[in-house]
């Protein structure tokens, strides 16, 4: 059997894409390995969202030559968003790369790998010529992931990822995603429901719906009229044994009353909303082309909390976007403290090739970017801690997902609000729901004990 080593970077959509690719290759007789050195096929599923993410991959590509010296049959490929962005430039810079395949072409990977292998076999004994003879590039289809829609292969048996749409019609000026993933395309609901029904029948407990912009689900579907809340309702009806349904990512522009209502009324939908705000200053939001203001965002939050007073709320923030003044930054800090997010992912602005923000001067000094970043992180840590401490003494439902690393008696799970909980137990809790009383809290983790009725 041929061995596949596949490592995933970036977002959950990449995680799901990687499962789909694994499924296709396993169908062609591969088995997976966690050891890169023993692989016949090595793939990195990559992310372009920040420069840091790309540098990590460039670092690893540096090892390809050595790996191929040890194993001349090895095929190496870069897939996902970086493949889409850099395309054939990869071959020029790093001729040892055999395959470059974008997110819209993933379903071709097994065939392309076969072609590469055959071409190599033919080249033996002949003048091998330029490596382009034995390498393959597939980046011509931005939005064709639906061929992957019905792939049933999954890693694990508790949580399942389900892609409901890809691409993005927004054009936030800092963001590369619309260029690597293309315009929005929704998957038809019948296909989604079939997949979720299968997930339910296999005993999974938790489903996460994926899309760059899930709230605009349904837009552009030709043969049906459905929106995101309509989809949530259908999932509730079709697969009621799924206990937890989550979704990412929502855009503030399209998060609305009906969504909050559905989150309150549908038992399986978790009381957790991830609503990236990016900045607390309307002038910055305008330059980011976020299509919402500070005030609009705060109104949405008020409304969400009217419907779900105990609902969890998380966000993404960028510090140091071009033109961000100290006052703008203080507005962001103020918004963060006013909303009191349960958690926030905070990033320093990273200029991305081909994005509209490149025309703006990246004028916030690295020192200021970093200082503001640290200040937001510290403020958020204090808020997360405070919110977690408020849970001490309360009992909440936890779904246990794994054993704690290096400790046999400790199990790690999540609340419906996506808080991480660690519990000691002589019984194997993986895959189980238990009521847990919270005993103590840190900013990222709660410690608890099983609460017996
Ligand atoms: N579709 C999602 C996810 C986009 S990428 C959304 O619309 O929210 C995830 C997060 O990365 C974004 O929310 C943003 O906070 C951050 N991000 C995107 N581009 C960035 C850039 N150029 N520099 C720094 N952070 C960025
Ligand atoms: Fe990027 Fe904005 Fe689209 Fe999110 S909504 S993927 S941040 S362009
Ligand atoms: Fe990264 Fe592409 Fe996801 S850029 S965040 S892997 S959509």
């Amino acid at each position: 059997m041929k061995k596949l080593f596949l490592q995933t970077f970036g977002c959950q959509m990449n995680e799901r894409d990687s499962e789909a690719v694994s499924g296709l290759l396993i169908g062609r007789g591969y088995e997976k390995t966690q050891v890169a050195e023993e692989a016949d096929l090595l793939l990195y599923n990559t992310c372009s969202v920040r420069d840091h993410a790309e540098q990590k991959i460039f670092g690893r590509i540096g090892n390809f030559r050595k790996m191929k010296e040890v194993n001349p049959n090895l095929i190496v490929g870069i897939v996902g968003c970086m493949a889409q962005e850099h395309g054939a430039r990869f071959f020029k810079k790093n001729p040892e790369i055999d395959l470059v395949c974008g997110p819209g072409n993933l379903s071709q990977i097994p065939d392309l790998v076969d072609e590469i292998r055959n071409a190599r076999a033919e080249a033996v004994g002949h003048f091998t010529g330029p490596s382009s003879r034995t390498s393959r590039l597939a980046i011509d289809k931005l939005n064709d992931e639906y061929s992957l829609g019905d792939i049933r292969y999954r890693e694990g048996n508790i949580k399942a990822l389900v892609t409901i749409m890809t691409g993005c019609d927004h054009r936030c000026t800092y963001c590369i995603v619309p260029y690597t993933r293309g315009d929005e395309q929704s998957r038809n609901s019948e296909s989604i429901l079939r997949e979720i029904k299968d997930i339910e029948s296999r005993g999974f407990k938790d489903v996460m719906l994926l899309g760059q912009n899930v709230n605009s689900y349904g837009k552009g579907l030709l043969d049906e009229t459905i929106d995101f809340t309509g989809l949530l309702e259908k999932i509730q009806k079709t697969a009621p044994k799924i206990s937890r349904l989550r979704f990412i990512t929502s855009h503030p522009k399209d998060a609305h009353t009906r969504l909050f209502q559905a989150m309150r009324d549908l038992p399986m939908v978790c009381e957790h909303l991830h609503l990236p705000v990016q900045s607390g200053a309307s002038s910055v939001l305008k330059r980011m082309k976020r299509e919402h203001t500070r005030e609009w965002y705060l109104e949405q939050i008020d409304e969400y909390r009217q419907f779900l007073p105990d609902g969890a709320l998380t966000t993404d923030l960028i510090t140091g976007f071009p033109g961000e003044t100290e006052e703008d930054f203080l507005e962001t800090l103020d918004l963060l403290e006013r909303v009191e997010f349960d958690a926030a992912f905070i990033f320093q602005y990273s200029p991305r090739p081909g994005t509209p923000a490149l025309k703006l001067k990246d004028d916030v000094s690295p020192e200021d970017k970093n200082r503001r970043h640290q200040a937001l992180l510290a403020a958020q840590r204090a808020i997360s801690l405070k919110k977690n401490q408020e849970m001490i003494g309360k009992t909440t439902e936890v779904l246990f997902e794994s054993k704690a690393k290096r400790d046999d008696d400790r199990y790690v799970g999540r609340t419906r609000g996506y808080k991480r909980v660690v519990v000691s137990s002589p019984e194997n809790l993986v895959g189980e729901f238990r009521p847990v009383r919270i005993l103590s809290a840190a900013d990222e983790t709660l410690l608890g004990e099983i609460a017996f009725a």
Side-chain angles (χ1 to χ4, degrees), residues 168-172 174-178 212-213 251 278 290:
C168 185
D169 285 351
H170 291 279
R171 291 290 180 269
C172 303
Y174 51 80
C175 183
I176 200 166
V177 171
Q212 299 307 333
N213 198 10
H251 191 289
Q278 316 299 0
R290 278 295 285 180

Side-chain angles (χ1 to χ4, degrees), residues 9-11 14 46-49 81 176-177 180-181 212:
F9 300 81
C11 61
N14 265 15
T46 60
C47 173
S48 293
V49 82
C81 287
I176 200 166
V177 171
T180 61
R181 294 271 178 178
Q212 299 307 333

Side-chain angles (χ1 to χ4, degrees), residues 319-320 348-349 362-374:
T319 63
Q348 292 184 32
Y349 170 64
D362 185 18
D363 56 358
V364 180
S365 70
E367 293 74 33
D368 280 343
K369 265 189 204 169
N370 189 41
R371 177 177 50 81
R372 292 172 189 172
H373 186 212
Q374 295 304 326

Side-chain angles (χ1 to χ4, degrees), residues 428-446:
N428 181 357
L429 294 174
V430 175
E432 303 289 329
F433 288 97
R434 288 287 185 278
V436 169
R437 189 175 313 109
I438 304 304
L439 300 172
S440 66
D443 60 340
E444 286 183 354
T445 303
L446 300 161

Side-chain angles (χ1 to χ4, degrees), residues 49 171-176 277-290 317-326 328-329 332 346-352 355-366 368-370 372-373 376:
V49 82
R171 291 290 180 269
C172 303
T173 53
Y174 51 80
C175 183
I176 200 166
V277 62
Q278 316 299 0
S279 168
S282 290
S283 58
V284 176
L285 290 169
K286 196 164 176 205
R287 280 199 302 282
M288 289 177 164
K289 209 160 164 265
R290 278 295 285 180
L317 289 160
I318 296 175
T319 63
F321 187 73
E324 183 189 73
T325 62
E326 199 61 21
D328 295 333
F329 157 69
T332 301
I346 304 167
F347 310 105
Q348 292 184 32
Y349 170 64
S350 167
R352 305 314 295 129
T355 58
L358 276 189
K359 294 202 190 82
L360 308 170
K361 209 167 144 233
D362 185 18
D363 56 358
V364 180
S365 70
D368 280 343
K369 265 189 204 169
N370 189 41
R372 292 172 189 172
H373 186 212
L376 290 184

Side-chain angles (χ1 to χ4, degrees), residues 101-147:
C101 180
N105 292 74
L106 296 179
S107 57
Q108 289 165 248
I109 287 178
D111 287 341
L112 294 170
V113 171
D114 283 350
E115 282 178 29
I116 292 166
R117 206 165 264 125
N118 292 339
R120 273 192 194 173
E122 277 171 29
V124 171
H126 299 274
F127 167 59
T128 46
S131 70
S132 62
R133 288 262 189 89
T134 53
S135 62
R136 290 292 180 274
L137 173 70
I139 54 168
D140 58 316
K141 291 198 282 180
L142 269 177
N143 242 334
D144 178 45
E145 285 170 66
Y146 298 95
S147 51

